[in-house]
Amino acid sequence: MLPTTPIENLPGVGNFYSSRLSKLELNTARDLVYHFPFRYEDFSQVEQIRDVVDGEKLSIQGVIWQIRSVRTRTGKFLTNATVADTSGTIEVIWFNQPYLTKTLKAGTPISLSGKVKVEGSRPKLMSPTWEIIRSPLTTDHSSLNTLHTGRLVAVYPETEGITSKWFRAKIALVLPRYLEKLEDYLPEKIIKEEKLISLPDALKKIHQPDSFEDVETARKRLGFDELLLIQLVSLKRQLERKKSRIAPKMKIEKDKIEKLTASLPYKLTTAQNRAIGEILADLTRQEAANRLLEGDVGSGKTIVAATAAYTSFLNGLDALFAAPTEILAFQHYKTLNEILTPLGVKVGIWTGSKKTGGNITVGTHALLSTFKPERQVGLVIVDEQHRFGVAQRAKLFLENTRDFTPHLLTMTATPIPRTLALTLYGDLDLSVLDEMPKGRQKIATFVVPNKKRNDAYKFIEKQVEEGRQAFIITPFVEPSESMVTVKAAKEEFEKLKEKFDKKIKLGLLHGQLKSKEKEEIINKFNANKIHILVSTPVVEVGIDVPNASVMMIESAERFGLAQLHQLRGRVGRGEYKSYCLLFSESNAENSINRLKSMEKVHVGFELAEIDLKMRGPGEVFGLRQSGFFNFKIADIADRVLVARAQQHARQILEKDPDLFTSPLLKEELDRLNPEYSQPN
Ligand code: ADP
Ligand code: MG
């Protein structure tokens, strides 16, 4: 089996699953093996049934005595089993899995993991994970080679119809064959110096660890690889660019730019003016720009980008403006239309559902793959670039390159400390909007105890009666927008409808809606025909409704502070006093304290730093989660490790810029960056 083997050719996958897997961008054997767990359930404690305690998370191993499914009065299926070991019996309950009785029969030896609930004196195991085992009576539990129970159990990012259990089973099938042919691409010298484990070991341990120590050593190795590879990419790109790539040299028409800024209903901030200066200076050079524009939500990045795009237009060149979501693309399209159409620019939109090209065309991924610009492209703008992979970025570069390479401007609200951004991307220039437009108010933020939830609803109701609007972000169930998250959002939505006065209109927004439906809901919210917008956490960007004054966030403790700050930035965009209400499922003191820093701190960068400190290296949830650097696993807060990876990358390329002596490493790099395997 090769890393490039298509995923549908793997044992037990086929077309049915492969189309679902492609939603998670899993297309090859390598993709599957590099689909890493984001956490582990600790079910390693195998208990005797008589010793189980209420609320405990554990595993038991025994034999099924009896099992049957019944239909409840509400038409649901309930499966009830009794499982016995040498110490006693326990009742096991599953809901809505009628097929279970086909696989599990009386006499089946079984291993179960889940949470115990004691009712009366009878302990019950509710909806546990299960697997059939060889022998129920062994005391050497590890000899059973269980995958889903009785051990540290990997939990994966899921998608519709594909569960963590599925991933565990398939990866267990695929991994041994994948590792058989796998040679470590990392030079022996580096492995020794950095005290790393081998690549096959690391891949095995990340999926099937025997201890949290295994997880740590695996993460260290795989994280180091990510850092090293990204450094190699970045340094190689720098070399390439110096060698051959020529960008269009533009002229700056000062009066026309001034006319544009004078036409705006506000005055640009000093920071905006500085950023515009830096970016326009890039455009006058022959070397293709690669600049990152960082600025908090609401700091006014769009107009900065629009000015650069307009300059490109004035030079007879097209500009592309890519957004991560359709919602955001439409938002930008609207803004650019307002500003630039009066100046004679044809603004286009290119998404899954609408396709009209222009001189400046806004769009989603589709823009980068299917749009064919009429004129030479002078500038590519990528908003919230952390949502795009590095590979996509490279692809974008290649496809639009004819005689020239376009200049590249990426934008993000993810506050990555400057030093960190520069160490990670050696070839990147940085502009920062560290100043908010005048008159922006601080959003009054409160961590609200659960017992005051109804007061919060009352408060929202009052705001709506005064003409305002509100967001309610539903609980974060999983890191990706899976069916589980959407289902939870729908349930929450139904509950919320009951809570509010009938006159108040609620709308539900989630990632699985068709783009037409999304647009309709957002338009209604814009027009104040929806008063409260209930949304999953994934739909966080691209809504600009100055009339909204309340942002209520459920399970706020699951977010990084910087992400909460971004969500909070959806309100307080107009003249009205605005509020952010944070609810937490955890009452742990440090968790509440972390959230409370939202009450005091109103700068994204500072919040990111606090998160780094409070959660410690290895738990930079906000940053890793945002996928800013497209890292799955590397701890980018570990500056020492980042620096070491950079040093190794330099040494490797200094000695051998084309990696002739490290063919395996070159192969790995080519896989990540098709750019380098193609001739210029
Ligand atoms: P972001 O940096 O989050 O992309 P936007 O570009 O969407 O921010 O700007 C947020 C809002 O602020 C928009 O409504 C925009 O018109 C407005 N805005 C931008 N710059 C200024 C400014 N200098 N003064 C006042 N309002 C501004
Ligand atoms: Mg923006």
Side-chain angles (χ1 to χ4, degrees), residues 301-302 328 332 383-384:
K301 295 184 289 294
T302 318
L328 200 55
H332 285 328
D383 196 9
E384 296 297 340

Side-chain angles (χ1 to χ4, degrees), residues 387-674:
R387 312 252 168 148
F388 292 91
V390 175
Q392 271 159 303
R393 243 174 70 179
K395 196 167 147 231
L396 164 168
F397 249 83
L398 268 183
E399 281 180 356
N400 295 307
T401 299
R402 282 181 223 157
D403 316 325
F404 290 114
T405 298
H407 296 285
L408 178 65
L409 173 65
T410 50
M411 306 198 286
T412 184
T414 306
I416 304 294
R418 188 182 192 102
T419 46
L420 203 53
L422 294 182
T423 6
L424 281 167
Y425 277 142
D427 65 332
L428 196 71
D429 293 311
L430 200 62
S431 293
V432 180
L433 298 183
D434 50 7
E435 179 191 356
M436 291 302 261
K438 274 215 185 57
R440 285 286 156 76
Q441 29 150 327
K442 276 193 190 145
I443 295 150
T445 303
F446 303 96
V447 180
V448 186
N450 279 305
K451 59 174 192 272
K452 292 206 175 161
R453 178 178 297 274
N454 280 328
D455 295 345
Y457 294 138
K458 287 252 162 61
F459 177 75
I460 292 176
E461 204 163 286
K462 213 162 139 247
Q463 287 280 310
V464 172
E465 277 161 12
E466 285 171 23
R468 301 289 77 73
Q469 289 167 276
F471 294 91
I472 298 179
I473 306 296
T474 58
F476 207 155
V477 183
E478 286 178 68
S480 65
E481 175 114 328
S482 69
M483 285 312 279
V484 183
T485 304
V486 171
K487 186 166 161 276
K490 284 182 183 159
E491 283 170 10
E492 182 73 13
F493 179 61
E494 292 305 323
K495 256 202 272 169
L496 284 168
K497 276 205 286 201
E498 298 302 312
K499 296 255 182 229
F500 290 100
D501 191 286
K502 286 282 158 300
K503 284 189 299 250
I504 295 177
K505 291 273 170 292
L506 279 75
L508 175 65
L509 191 63
H510 60 74
Q512 313 241 345
L513 290 174
K514 295 203 181 70
S515 57
K516 264 250 170 64
E517 300 168 324
K518 272 190 221 160
E519 208 184 323
E520 203 180 299
I521 288 174
I522 286 162
N523 285 341
K524 275 192 180 159
F525 191 59
N526 263 321
N528 201 359
K529 286 189 180 129
I530 287 174
H531 306 117
I532 300 175
L533 187 65
V534 180
S535 168
T536 55
V538 178
V539 194
E540 81 210 49
V541 282
I543 297 176
D544 188 8
V545 178
N547 190 45
S549 66
V550 186
M551 168 62 69
M552 171 169 166
I553 302 170
E554 295 285 356
S555 4
E557 80 281 5
R558 304 207 191 173
F559 291 88
L561 295 180
Q563 285 174 301
L564 289 175
H565 181 66
Q566 289 195 43
L567 281 169
R568 172 166 71 180
R570 292 295 120 206
V571 296
R573 301 192 137 217
E575 60 198 276
Y576 307 105
K577 175 84 191 135
S578 296
Y579 305 86
C580 175
L581 309 178
L582 302 173
F583 284 82
S584 169
E585 283 173 34
S586 154
N587 288 323
E589 195 179 315
N590 55 354
S591 164
I592 295 289
N593 280 343
R594 193 177 74 92
L595 286 179
K596 280 205 176 277
S597 48
M598 293 290 296
E599 296 179 349
K600 289 166 237 132
V601 182
H602 294 263
V603 181
F605 281 83
E606 277 176 41
L607 287 167
E609 289 285 356
I610 292 172
D611 240 2
L612 276 178
K613 287 202 193 91
M614 288 194 75
R615 298 192 144 188
E619 263 308 319
V620 206
F621 189 72
L623 297 184
R624 189 188 290 154
Q625 178 92 99
S626 76
F628 182 84
F629 294 102
N630 215 29
F631 287 159
K632 290 185 172 151
I633 212 162
D635 181 0
I636 57 176
D638 188 344
R639 291 173 200 210
V640 177
L641 196 67
V642 171
R644 292 190 70 88
Q646 190 171 42
Q647 204 182 349
H648 283 297
R650 284 235 164 83
Q651 280 171 4
I652 291 170
L653 291 178
E654 257 163 36
K655 276 197 216 120
D656 180 8
D658 294 308
L659 300 176
F660 285 129
T661 55
S662 323
L664 289 172
L665 188 57
K666 180 171 187 321
E667 218 176 273
E668 187 67 13
L669 216 53
D670 288 345
R671 215 174 351 258
L672 296 175
N673 290 275

Side-chain angles (χ1 to χ4, degrees), residues 79 102 123 167 172 208 239 252 306 326 360 377 391 405 443 449 453 495 505 509 553 569 655:
T79 306
K102 292 212 172 76
F167 278 117
Q208 297 158 7
L239 289 174
I252 309 298
E326 198 153 15
I360 297 175
V377 173
T405 298
I443 295 150
R453 178 178 297 274
K495 256 202 272 169
K505 291 273 170 292
L509 191 63
I553 302 170
K655 276 197 216 120

Side-chain angles (χ1 to χ4, degrees), residues 26-43:
L26 304 180
N27 302 308
T28 63
R30 185 187 192 279
D31 293 345
L32 183 65
V33 169
Y34 277 75
H35 188 59
F36 297 141
F38 66 95
R39 66 183 176 90
Y40 301 84
E41 288 275 16
D42 189 352
F43 285 126

Side-chain angles (χ1 to χ4, degrees), residues 67-70 77-81 92-101:
I67 181 164
R68 65 200 170 97
S69 282
V70 289
F77 262 104
L78 193 145
T79 306
N80 172 303
V92 184
I93 309 271
W94 288 280
F95 298 103
N96 286 325
Q97 300 188 33
Y99 53 85
L100 272 180
T101 42

Side-chain angles (χ1 to χ4, degrees), residues 226-513:
E226 279 183 334
L227 291 171
L228 182 80
L229 292 168
I230 199 84
Q231 295 290 348
L232 286 170
V233 169
S234 169
L235 291 169
K236 258 178 107 41
R237 184 176 291 151
Q238 217 171 349
L239 289 174
E240 291 290 320
R241 228 161 18 126
K242 284 205 181 118
K243 226 166 56 193
S244 64
R245 294 289 168 96
I246 292 176
K249 254 174 108 152
M250 300 189 197
K251 285 212 179 65
I252 309 298
E253 300 205 39
K254 244 184 134 192
D255 348 336
K256 291 202 172 149
I257 301 285
E258 272 165 17
K259 226 178 178 173
L260 163 67
T261 48
S263 75
L264 299 172
Y266 47 79
K267 225 176 128 239
L268 292 176
T269 62
T270 315
Q272 282 172 316
N273 275 318
R274 187 180 54 227
I276 289 173
E278 287 164 351
I279 293 161
L280 295 193
D282 284 350
L283 301 183
T284 64
R285 300 204 184 100
Q286 209 168 58
E287 189 185 325
N290 183 13
R291 184 172 290 276
L292 176 66
L293 175 62
E294 273 189 32
D296 263 4
V297 171
S299 59
K301 295 184 289 294
T302 318
I303 182 62
V304 174
T307 311
Y310 183 50
T311 299
S312 180
F313 164 80
L314 290 174
N315 280 271
L317 300 160
D318 278 357
L320 305 183
F321 196 145
T325 64
E326 198 153 15
I327 300 174
L328 200 55
F330 279 111
Q331 185 79 42
H332 285 328
Y333 173 64
K334 193 174 139 241
T335 309
L336 295 189
N337 239 336
E338 278 163 16
I339 307 173
L340 296 174
T341 311
L343 301 173
V345 182
K346 190 176 163 216
V347 181
I349 174 94
W350 203 270
T351 70
S353 62
K354 272 219 180 77
K355 294 189 168 59
T356 24
N359 305 125
I360 297 175
T361 308
V362 184
T364 49
H365 299 43
L367 179 68
L368 308 178
S369 46
T370 63
F371 176 58
K372 294 277 168 288
E374 273 169 34
R375 307 187 301 179
Q376 173 68 45
V377 173
L379 173 67
V380 175
I381 298 162
V382 183
D383 196 9
E384 296 297 340
Q385 65 112 33
H386 60 273
R387 312 252 168 148
F388 292 91
V390 175
Q392 271 159 303
R393 243 174 70 179
K395 196 167 147 231
L396 164 168
F397 249 83
L398 268 183
E399 281 180 356
N400 295 307
T401 299
R402 282 181 223 157
D403 316 325
F404 290 114
T405 298
H407 296 285
L408 178 65
L409 173 65
T410 50
M411 306 198 286
T412 184
T414 306
I416 304 294
R418 188 182 192 102
T419 46
L420 203 53
L422 294 182
T423 6
L424 281 167
Y425 277 142
D427 65 332
L428 196 71
D429 293 311
L430 200 62
S431 293
V432 180
L433 298 183
D434 50 7
E435 179 191 356
M436 291 302 261
K438 274 215 185 57
R440 285 286 156 76
Q441 29 150 327
K442 276 193 190 145
I443 295 150
T445 303
F446 303 96
V447 180
V448 186
N450 279 305
K451 59 174 192 272
K452 292 206 175 161
R453 178 178 297 274
N454 280 328
D455 295 345
Y457 294 138
K458 287 252 162 61
F459 177 75
I460 292 176
E461 204 163 286
K462 213 162 139 247
Q463 287 280 310
V464 172
E465 277 161 12
E466 285 171 23
R468 301 289 77 73
Q469 289 167 276
F471 294 91
I472 298 179
I473 306 296
T474 58
F476 207 155
V477 183
E478 286 178 68
S480 65
E481 175 114 328
S482 69
M483 285 312 279
V484 183
T485 304
V486 171
K487 186 166 161 276
K490 284 182 183 159
E491 283 170 10
E492 182 73 13
F493 179 61
E494 292 305 323
K495 256 202 272 169
L496 284 168
K497 276 205 286 201
E498 298 302 312
K499 296 255 182 229
F500 290 100
D501 191 286
K502 286 282 158 300
K503 284 189 299 250
I504 295 177
K505 291 273 170 292
L506 279 75
L508 175 65
L509 191 63
H510 60 74
Q512 313 241 345
L513 290 174

